[in-house]
């Protein structure tokens, strides 16, 4: 059932729909992984890392809503349910329990790199199909790359 009829041709809509759904899953999971780490980080750089993690959460939550609304505007029902995210995510699960600040930073560097890599793939996939969605994915990628840079600088690697 379509509640909204897209102006995109069916072939383009399929490509864009897959990209937006993948982006939504990545962003929802990134927000969960970052928040779980935020609650459990310990160590001498606790406060800095704790606050930095909240910035990632805010970015991921803001853009997950933007991605879901873009999908809806094109007639694609976004799926951010926990089961869908768990089944489809490409991000490693956050470790259970307390995390040393250095381990937390390393985990976020890896998680962000993973999401950025997939966002760049999506960027290439949607470019010809829908430049509007491509622009959105470019914006998301730029924001995530900034977080990736900052966590790498925090880690010193």
């Amino acid at each position: 059932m379509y509640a909204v009829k897209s102006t995109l041709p069916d072939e383009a809509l399929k490509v864009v729909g897959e990209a937006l759904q993948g982006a939504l899953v990545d962003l929802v999971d990134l927000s969960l992984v970052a928040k779980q780490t935020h609650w459990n980080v310990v160590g001498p750089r606790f406060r800095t890392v704790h606050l930095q993690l909240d910035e990632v959460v805010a970015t991921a939550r803001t853009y997950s809503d933007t991605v879901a609304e873009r999908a809806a505007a094109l007639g694609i029902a976004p799926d951010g349910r926990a089961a869908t995210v768990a089944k489809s995510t490409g991000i490693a699960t956050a470790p259970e329990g307390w995390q040393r600040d250095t381990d937390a930073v390393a985990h976020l560097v890896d998680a962000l790199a993973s999401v950025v890599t997939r966002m760049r793939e999506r960027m290439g996939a949607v470019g010809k199909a829908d430049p509007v969605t491509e622009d959105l994915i470019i914006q998301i990628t730029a924001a995530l790359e900034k977080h990736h840079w900052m966590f790498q600088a925090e880690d010193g690697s």
Side-chain angles (χ1 to χ4, degrees), residues 71-89:
L74 293 173
I76 302 159
D79 188 354
R81 296 173 299 162
T84 301
V85 172
K87 178 178 66 175
S88 307
T89 188

Side-chain angles (χ1 to χ4, degrees), residues 41-116:
V41 67
V42 295
R45 296 180 300 166
F46 161 79
R47 182 160 172 73
T48 303
V49 174
H50 183 79
L51 295 173
Q52 215 172 339
L53 287 161
D54 262 347
E55 293 172 4
V56 172
V57 171
T59 297
R61 286 180 178 169
T62 296
Y63 279 119
S64 65
D65 191 50
T66 304
V67 163
E69 289 176 354
R70 176 70 185 149
L74 293 173
I76 302 159
D79 188 354
R81 296 173 299 162
T84 301
V85 172
K87 178 178 66 175
S88 307
T89 188
I91 303 173
T93 303
E96 186 178 336
W98 303 115
Q99 295 179 54
R100 294 287 307 161
D101 50 6
T102 52
D103 295 336
V105 167
H107 185 70
L108 258 291
V109 167
D110 291 345
L112 286 160
S114 177
V115 174
V116 165

